[in-house]
Amino acid sequence: MADEGLTQQQIAKELGITQQAVSSRLSAALWFEANRMMDEAAKSLTRQLKMLGES
């Protein structure tokens, strides 16, 4: 759900739990860390592809 772009509040409403519970569960699952790492990997790949295009 979070990876589909839903906010924590939207997820909480759909699951019938509090936003704080959603936050705790996402943190426990290391979702934030995984998402940050994916963003960094995408940026790195974009830079590398640009460098290849400039060659």
Side-chain angles (χ1 to χ4, degrees):
M1 297 173 133
D3 59 344
E4 295 171 359
L6 293 177
T7 65
Q8 290 184 10
Q9 193 65 36
Q10 291 168 321
I11 295 168
K13 184 176 180 181
E14 189 167 326
L15 297 177
I17 60 176
T18 65
Q19 180 272 324
Q20 291 83 356
V22 173
S23 178
S24 293
R25 290 175 181 158
L26 287 173
S27 292
L30 298 174
W31 183 86
F32 291 107
E33 184 63 20
N35 192 49
R36 185 189 66 77
M37 291 174 68
M38 286 188 291
D39 285 345
E40 290 301 316
K43 288 176 188 175
S44 177
L45 181 58
T46 299
R47 285 191 301 269
Q48 290 176 14
L49 289 172
K50 284 182 181 178
M51 287 173 41
L52 285 173
E54 294 173 359
S55 299

